[in-house]
């Protein structure tokens, strides 16, 4: 099974989580890369915020999920006024020094 199958399984799993949420005002996707998952989840929410510091990924994200508010700063520097009903952090810690993992996760949770 390839990456396409993995995405389908992941998206189905996330959709099940979203459907059980008591509110679906704001989705926060931290490190959405090309926006594939953000595009899948955004229709369930009133507003989508994506934190993506990579310029090439922001360009792809703008095509995949044009309705998303995109924040270019890294998560520890980003300022977001909304409180998320779902915060997604997928494959981001690979790009963060291990010594910053706890601070990164705590920042998202707050």
């Amino acid at each position: 099974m390839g990456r396409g199958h993995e995405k389908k399984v992941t998206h189905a799993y996330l959709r099940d989580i979203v459907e059980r949420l008591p509110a679906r005002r704001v989705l926060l996707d931290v490190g959405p890369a090309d926006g594939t998952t953000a595009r899948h989840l955004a229709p369930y929410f009133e507003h989508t915020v994506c934190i993506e510091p990579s310029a090439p990924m922001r360009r792809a994200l703008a095509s995949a999920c044009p309705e998303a508010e995109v924040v270019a700063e890294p998560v520890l520097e980003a300022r977001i006024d909304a409180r998320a009903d779902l915060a997604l952090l997928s494959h981001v810690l690979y790009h963060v020094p291990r010594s910053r993992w706890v601070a990164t996760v705590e920042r998202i949770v707050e």
Side-chain angles (χ1 to χ4, degrees):
M1 288 186 233
R3 183 163 157 66
H5 177 73
E6 178 183 322
K7 278 287 186 194
K8 285 182 183 179
V9 170
T10 300
H11 287 172
Y13 174 76
L14 289 170
R15 186 185 62 246
D16 290 343
I17 289 172
V18 167
E19 289 174 351
R20 291 193 307 264
L21 291 173
R24 294 185 215 146
R25 291 176 301 272
V26 177
L27 165 66
L28 173 62
D29 192 343
V30 180
D34 67 1
T36 301
T37 300
R39 178 182 60 224
H40 176 75
L41 294 178
Y44 295 96
F45 292 85
E46 295 171 21
H47 186 64
T48 299
V49 178
C50 297
I51 299 175
E52 180 53 69
S54 166
M57 289 296 107
R58 285 195 308 273
R59 286 190 292 277
L61 174 61
S63 294
C65 195
E67 69 277 11
E69 173 187 346
V70 179
V71 177
E73 294 80 19
V75 67
L76 291 175
E77 299 168 19
R79 297 292 169 238
I80 299 167
D81 295 328
R83 295 202 52 89
D85 296 292
L86 177 67
L88 179 62
L89 172 69
S90 178
H91 302 287
V92 169
L93 295 180
Y94 298 123
H95 306 286
V96 175
R98 185 179 288 271
S99 63
R100 305 292 308 235
W101 285 7
V102 171
T104 300
V105 173
E106 285 176 342
R107 175 75 173 115
I108 294 163
V109 170
E110 78 176 34

